[in-house]
Amino acid sequence: MKSHTIELPRPQVAADQLGFFRFGDIAGRVLLTNDAGEWHFLGREDFAALVAGTLPAEHPERPTLLAKGFLRSELDLDALSERIRRKKSFLGNGPHLHVVITTLRCNQDCRYCHASRTDMDQVQTDMSLETAKKVVDLAMQSTSNYVAFEYQGGEPTVNMDVIKFCVEYSREKNRYEGKTLDHSVVTNFTYMTEEHAEWLLANDVLVCTSLDGPEELHNYNRTWRSGSDAYGSVREWMAYFNRRWIELGRDPHLWHVDALTTLTRRSLEQWKDIVDLYVGLGIRSVHLRPLNPFGFASKTWDQIGYSTDEYLAMYEEALDYIIDLNKAGTTIIEGTAAVLLKKMLTPDDPNYVDIRSPVGSGTGQVAYNYDGTILPSDEGRMIHAMGDPMFVLGQVGSTSYSEIVGHPTVKSMAVASLLDSLPGCSSCWNAPYCGVRPLHNYRQTGDLFAQRPNTPKCAEHMTIARLLFERLAEDTTGEVEAIFRRWTVQRPRVRDED
Amino acid sequence: MTAENARFTFSIDDRSLALLLDEALYPLDAIYGAAYLFVDRCYIFLDRPADKQVQVRFRTKSDSTEQDLEALAGEFANELLNQVLRLRISESTKSIREYTLARAFFGDSSQASIDALLAELDAEELADDPLEINVPWESGT
Amino acid sequence: MIALRFHRSLYPAPAVHAAVAAYGELARIEVEERDEDIAVTLSDIDPDFADQADEFADSFANHVLFEATRSERGEA
Ligand code: SF4
């Protein structure tokens, strides 16, 4: 047993001169953040002077520190409250995202798809029109002025009748409700027909597809049962929709097929090809999300999975490549970065249900299974499909809107994701921008809480936020910040003639 | 800037590290907060060898050299000082924070939190402070 | 069999009980609440973990720390 001693400077603290903030070491400086999402970098010595109350009155950073609420003198509490209110305005909204599982049937058999699909002959997993009506009746009761219906499956277009019904019936109901409605379908395109496509186009339904990367990678990940070319089909239909929207006079910046990529082990090696493909196709956003690690047989995971560290190493390289593309004049956004940057660089919150505090499960989004079972999210549906009823919130037709948002499970998830009260998070510099996933925790550990430093989502969000702050800290010309600011701009997608 | 240094004495052994802390300098909440951040890398155990003394024992989850353990001690000590600072800031700003959050979420702050804030300001004698806080309800808002 | 001792002034009893509930299916856990500390004995550890009994006990202690931290922050 060896004995050692270390000595560290003990900070002097004049706490009565400070506003509330959290802090952390980033890029060799100290980053301060607060409840309104404000942030500021200080050199270590300036930080020590700030907390010791010895920052000179004429210090050049002082006015900014004051304006952002890091200093107590002349702190305008009402203005700060107002900024916090705006940041957290989603809290008063109610669920806006309503995920409708029109069927579990799917004609693909993707390597990473588990427990959420059935074969094409399993017609009993189609949602009935009667159930769909109850879904719309319930979703339209949301207190949110904005309601987005997202049709998923299985392959949702296999049950096109339900999509058509939901779109038409919700619009009919909305003549009295006056909400802003969006409809989007997440399709693999393998069941698309010209008739369906024209209906979707004529009815302003947004289309999002899965595009995992270049042909070989996409077809490897997404086995199409009939042995046909999944990749070719996606490319063909993307081109079709994009061409038709232009013909219909829509702004292609707003009306184009969005694509999502699912990253497998192979994708990690080919991240650059994926980004290049997206750029080549004119897709303006690529969301490099890690594969959800839970629910796989270990053999499958060994084949397609990877560690959080491997993912994050890829992410850093890809982020820098994407920034460089933007510097060279190409607009391409990385999805997770865009969510975090909106929190960092604007007074608003993007209300992205998976990265907010508290989490959106049940309060920002609701999922409706094909049989009308109500769940707090698609991940809740996975857990339900694996035989665990923990997250069932009720049944359309018999459960009221207030019973959903007030459900004890929804409340527990909110408590388990309120960063201000979670150990580790409550004092973390990233708390204003982060969000934890109680359902993820539950799958990983059997507990909605979970030990934060051991959760992959903490490592992911902390590293990505750190990378973004590092890039901002190193940005002497303002070029990167200008690019990042562009990533936060979302224009409303209204019909051009409206 | 730093009137005094903080001294940490620790002992290291195979994959393990033990530090003795004085609770008068390091409140338990700060010790918990700092120790907790290491649960991904270490197994941690707290013990009380004497009144107001807390021993923190770490056992690393994977093999570690003497240098690794020294670095771990440095990291923990640094984090502990940060946690003490965080604690001081959050204690001192508790009422301000309650006020702003109540006002942000409920439209108006409750009388209770206004009272608490006034009490805190009194306690800190900020009335005489040139850097006086702008108290909004005084101007009738 | 592994014996652990959680000092009451450092680990609140509910934190120990929460960890017992979380680990209860994986071992036989006996808890004895004494004046100064709470004594926990782990035995019959699940065969999947039996060859890493020390790690199992250490993970249990980490869980108690986690629960203690959580209650210290005004939760639980
Ligand atoms: S999850 Fe991790 S990164 Fe996010 S606020 Fe909590 S501790 Fe910080």
Side-chain angles (χ1 to χ4, degrees), chain A residues 1-25 35 45 47-49 51-52 54 62 72-78 80-82 84-85 88 91 420 423-429 450-454, chain B residues 1-13 25-26 36-41 61 66 70 73-74 77-78 81-83 85-86 88-90 92-93 96-97 99-101 103-105 107 117 120-121 124 126 129 131-137 141:
Chain A
M1 179 85 55
K2 272 193 176 176
S3 191
H4 306 246
T5 302
I6 39 175
E7 286 197 27
L8 292 173
R10 187 190 301 283
Q12 301 301 297
V13 190
D16 60 351
Q17 297 187 27
L18 303 172
F20 173 77
F21 60 83
R22 303 173 170 100
F23 60 91
D25 279 346
D35 290 324
E45 289 197 358
F47 179 74
V51 296
T54 56
R62 203 175 175 95
R72 195 178 303 189
S73 66
E74 299 167 51
L75 181 61
D76 185 342
L77 289 174
D78 275 356
L80 186 62
S81 306
E82 193 45 46
I84 297 169
R85 190 210 307 271
K88 290 283 183 186
L91 286 175
D420 285 319
C425 302
S426 62
S427 58
C428 175
W429 56 268
Q451 299 169 21
R452 203 75 47 234
N454 287 327
Chain B
M1 197 91 305
T2 48
E4 54 154 332
N5 277 350
R7 269 173 77 91
F8 297 89
T9 307
F10 58 95
S11 53
I12 55 183
D13 205 351
L25 291 173
Y26 306 105
Y36 181 66
L37 296 179
F38 291 81
V39 295
D40 54 339
R41 289 184 277 160
K61 290 186 180 178
E66 195 173 322
E70 277 173 27
N78 198 33
L81 291 172
N82 280 341
Q83 289 288 337
L85 177 52
R86 289 188 178 107
R88 294 282 307 273
I89 295 171
S90 54
S92 166
T93 54
I96 291 178
R97 209 161 166 242
Y99 175 81
T100 50
L101 295 181
R103 200 163 169 85
F105 298 139
L117 180 53
E120 180 187 322
L121 298 179
E124 295 186 0
L126 282 183
D129 193 316
L131 306 173
E132 192 171 322
I133 199 162
N134 170 8
V135 188
W137 57 89
T141 46

Side-chain angles (χ1 to χ4, degrees), chain B residues 55-77:
Chain B
Q55 188 196 46
V56 188
R57 292 203 304 267
F58 296 83
R59 195 163 81 90
T60 58
K61 290 186 180 178
S62 52
D63 287 340
S64 46
T65 62
E66 195 173 322
Q67 282 100 318
D68 293 337
L69 292 166
E70 277 173 27
L72 180 67
E75 231 184 295
F76 175 75

Side-chain angles (χ1 to χ4, degrees), chain A residues 8 59 61 86 96 128 136 175 193 208 274 354 367 411:
Chain A
L8 292 173
H59 193 283
E61 310 269 14
R86 183 163 171 185
H96 65 280
S128 67
V136 173
R175 285 169 47 193
T193 63
C208 182
I274 299 171
D354 288 341
K411 286 187 182 160

Side-chain angles (χ1 to χ4, degrees), chain A residues 39 341 344-345 468-475 481 484:
Chain A
W39 55 272
L341 288 167
M344 295 168 180
L345 297 175
L468 296 170
F469 276 121
E470 280 172 359
R471 299 304 175 265
L472 285 166
E474 293 153 1
D475 178 33
E481 183 171 339
F484 282 176

Side-chain angles (χ1 to χ4, degrees), chain C residues 1-67:
Chain C
M1 194 179 84
I2 298 181
L4 300 167
R5 218 171 43 79
F6 296 94
H7 202 281
R8 278 179 176 278
S9 67
L10 300 168
Y11 296 99
V16 178
H17 292 300
V20 170
Y23 279 68
E25 280 176 21
L26 301 171
R28 205 173 108 103
I29 308 178
E30 277 166 56
V31 180
E32 191 194 342
E33 299 210 14
R34 305 190 295 214
D35 279 354
E36 273 216 328
D37 57 27
I38 302 170
V40 174
T41 319
L42 305 170
S43 56
D44 292 343
I45 295 172
D46 188 291
D48 282 353
F49 303 96
D51 57 339
Q52 309 152 20
D54 285 349
E55 267 80 7
F56 184 84
D58 282 341
S59 300
F60 178 86
N62 265 16
H63 199 95
V64 183
L65 176 75
F66 159 61
E67 294 289 350

